[in-house]
Amino acid sequence: MKQDLIVILDLGSTQNTVIAREIRDLGVYSEIHPHDITVEELKTLPNVKGIILNGGENRVVDGQEVQVRPELYELGYPMLSIDYPQSKCAAQFAELPDGDTLKKFLFEECRAEANWNMKNFIEDQIELIRRQVGDRKVLLALSGGVDSSVVAAMLIKAIGQQLVCVHVNHGLMRKNESESVVKVFRDELHANLVYVDASERFLGKLENVSDPEQKRKIIGGEFIRVFEEEARKLEGIDFLGQGTIYPDIIESGTKTAKMVKSHHNVGGLPEDLKFELVEPLKQLFKDEVRACGVELGLPHDMVYRQPFPGPGLGVRCLGAITRDRLEAVRESDAILREEFARAGLDKKVWQYFTVVPDFKSVGMKNNARVFEYMVIIRVINTVDAMTASVEKVDWDVLERITERILAEVENVNRVCYDMSPKPPATIEFE
């Protein structure tokens, strides 16, 4: 591995990602690991230069205060302790240290080098992938989104034709999304791509299911089943490639942090999974994933395309999914994307989409009283998907979008604009 590593042990802090990003911004690679990491597990991590004991308000779990294993203090690594009174051998701070203090710890005490960059990261991951996979094959869930596209590019670079890409149309894709994926990856990039239309299968499984977590788990579990079926048609498939990124893991819960929501590629995986996972992006934040894609040579439009959740429109058709509301989400989303592109906002705004709740409101159409659905527009900007602010869209643009949605989308009589930042809201509604 070409990069030095600072290990951050999660001892209940809500700011693990903050200090991890500060360290990476200083040019040193950092990873967050559980507080109870063993000596053996720590020794498997390459080029560890120092350890940060990161305590905080979630230090008590199930009535007991979490602590590091005492034997870690005997390994001789430089340590820095933040809000963790049990530490010994370690410089102690009540809160995150300032930049100068952090620099002194990294470069003087740990003697780390500022060698964290995408070129080195990619080379390291390619080496790890080749070591993990050997001469066997990897099955990749290729949604066509940023994360899976970057994983595909990295796996192609690492193992070439040992990669088999599978695109599953679960009936919850955006308008013309599957057609675009097939065109780009099979026709233009000549990837080994299998296309599976499983829309009726997924929608059948989701019928009358309203709980968001249950929907995510059904979609995640069914994805794996589809992959298993496709793998059985092939030979030598032992691995499942996934575009898991660090915010997915954080929001799915850690030993000291409550779950925000489970992600289909984290909390939704079945216990009897038949594959070993290959997840080369799981320590990256969203902006770092894009930088990785650029370094790998992916087209700009692909790297900076709209983020799209694994469960697709299933978490934007709120509550139990119905086909009329699903179509309303799909059509209104297409209008929003068209108008944002026309106004140049597609290059300015990080994420924008529509949502349709599972209730109706009264309205008037053709001089008659009607009860129809509303469309909620969500437009946010963020760097790492951990926090997000609401974009102030020009009123004329919003009016034009509203007029088109009300005129062109069936079963809709109302359009609303979501003004909620993250936190307290999340980016998605479910």
Side-chain angles (χ1 to χ4, degrees):
M1 185 170 180
K2 294 179 171 53
Q3 298 160 119
D4 290 340
L5 171 63
I6 299 296
V7 174
I8 301 167
L9 296 186
D10 176 14
L11 286 147
S13 176
T14 59
Q15 294 188 302
N16 289 314
T17 58
V18 173
I19 193 166
R21 291 192 65 87
E22 285 186 6
I23 293 170
R24 292 187 190 186
D25 287 343
L26 291 171
V28 181
Y29 184 52
S30 61
E31 289 184 357
I32 302 165
H33 288 271
H35 67 277
D36 56 357
I37 189 172
T38 66
V39 169
E40 292 73 22
E41 290 169 334
L42 188 65
K43 286 182 176 179
T44 65
L45 301 177
N47 291 359
V48 175
K49 294 295 183 178
I51 298 174
I52 293 178
L53 310 174
N54 202 24
E57 59 194 64
N58 295 326
R59 206 164 52 233
V60 177
V61 178
D62 295 329
Q64 293 190 330
E65 192 163 7
V66 298
Q67 298 184 20
V68 298
R69 298 177 186 272
E71 54 266 33
L72 294 189
Y73 295 114
E74 311 303 322
L75 296 178
Y77 292 113
M79 289 188 177
L80 184 150
S81 172
I82 303 170
D83 192 16
Y84 179 58
Q86 282 78 13
S87 62
K88 54 186 179 179
C89 301
Q92 296 192 30
F93 296 87
E95 55 188 21
L96 292 181
D98 59 35
D100 288 339
T101 302
L102 192 58
K103 285 181 183 178
K104 182 178 179 181
F105 174 72
L106 296 178
F107 301 117
E108 294 182 20
E109 296 182 39
C110 297
R111 298 187 181 279
E113 292 185 25
N115 53 13
W116 158 243
N117 57 62
M118 273 305 148
K119 184 176 183 296
N120 286 343
F121 174 80
I122 290 169
E123 289 179 3
D124 287 340
Q125 290 303 316
I126 287 173
E127 180 182 334
L128 291 172
I129 291 167
R130 288 172 177 166
R131 191 184 308 163
Q132 180 184 11
V133 174
D135 59 358
R136 292 175 288 175
K137 292 181 180 179
V138 178
L139 192 65
L140 173 66
L142 180 57
S143 68
V146 177
D147 302 335
S148 66
S149 297
V150 174
V151 169
M154 187 176 289
L155 287 171
I156 288 170
K157 190 162 186 162
I159 58 174
Q161 290 302 304
Q162 293 168 241
L163 173 67
V164 180
C165 298
V166 177
H167 175 69
V168 178
N169 180 359
H170 50 23
L172 305 169
M173 305 296 289
R174 290 175 289 201
K175 190 173 184 178
N176 299 325
E177 189 86 14
S178 287
E179 294 85 349
S180 174
V181 169
V182 172
K183 180 178 183 295
V184 170
F185 285 92
R186 179 186 288 169
D187 301 343
E188 297 178 11
L189 299 181
H190 309 293
N192 186 3
L193 177 65
V194 177
Y195 171 72
V196 182
D197 186 352
S199 53
E200 291 301 321
R201 173 174 173 172
F202 275 82
L203 294 178
K205 292 276 186 181
L206 291 164
E207 190 171 359
N208 299 321
V209 178
S210 59
D211 180 73
E213 283 304 304
Q214 192 177 356
K215 286 200 295 186
R216 286 178 176 271
K217 290 181 185 298
I218 287 172
I219 294 168
E222 203 62 22
F223 255 110
I224 299 300
R225 300 303 173 215
V226 173
F227 293 140
E228 286 179 333
E229 291 168 13
E230 293 304 317
R232 282 195 289 269
K233 301 174 186 176
L234 304 165
E235 293 184 359
I237 300 289
D238 296 308
F239 298 91
L240 177 66
Q242 290 205 131
T244 307
I245 64 174
Y246 194 66
D248 295 344
I249 297 172
I250 288 293
E251 291 189 336
S252 293
T254 65
K255 291 181 179 180
T256 63
K258 293 181 180 179
M259 178 183 69
V260 176
K261 58 186 176 184
S262 67
H263 288 258
H264 79 287
N265 51 1
V266 182
L269 294 173
E271 293 181 2
D272 60 342
L273 183 67
K274 298 294 193 298
F275 304 108
E276 184 179 336
L277 296 179
V278 179
E279 301 174 298
L281 307 182
K282 67 181 180 181
Q283 292 290 347
L284 295 187
F285 296 95
K286 196 71 178 189
D287 57 314
E288 294 172 332
V289 174
R290 296 188 194 279
C292 184
V294 171
E295 183 66 32
L296 285 165
L298 287 175
H300 183 275
D301 289 346
M302 184 178 293
V303 171
Y304 287 94
R305 71 183 304 177
Q306 276 284 289
F308 193 53
L313 300 182
V315 292
R316 296 177 182 174
C317 183
L318 306 186
I321 296 170
T322 59
R323 293 176 189 255
D324 59 345
R325 286 193 300 112
L326 183 59
E327 193 61 19
V329 177
R330 184 175 285 120
E331 292 297 325
S332 61
D333 176 80
I335 290 171
L336 178 66
R337 287 187 287 133
E338 286 175 13
E339 292 299 332
F340 265 45
R342 180 184 300 177
L345 290 171
D346 59 328
K347 298 179 177 63
K348 179 184 177 185
V349 178
W350 191 82
Q351 190 167 12
Y352 44 95
F353 56 88
T354 62
V355 170
V356 177
D358 58 347
F359 59 86
K360 296 181 178 180
S361 66
V362 67
M364 294 288 294
K365 282 188 177 180
N366 300 320
N367 298 316
R369 182 183 175 95
V370 294
F371 281 91
E372 294 182 323
Y373 299 112
M374 71 171 64
V375 168
I376 302 173
I377 297 173
R378 180 80 162 136
V379 183
I380 56 96
N381 269 319
T382 182
V383 172
D384 56 17
M386 300 304 295
T387 62
S389 59
V390 177
E391 177 68 16
K392 297 177 181 178
V393 179
D394 184 80
W395 192 254
D396 290 339
V397 175
L398 287 178
E399 280 190 328
R400 186 164 60 249
I401 293 168
T402 300
E403 289 170 2
R404 284 197 59 191
I405 289 175
L406 294 177
E408 299 174 31
V409 181
E410 294 184 4
N411 303 307
V412 170
N413 67 355
R414 198 178 295 267
V415 177
C416 300
Y417 192 75
D418 184 357
M419 294 292 295
S420 314
K422 176 183 180 178
T426 53
I427 293 174
E428 298 288 344
F429 275 57
E430 290 189 342

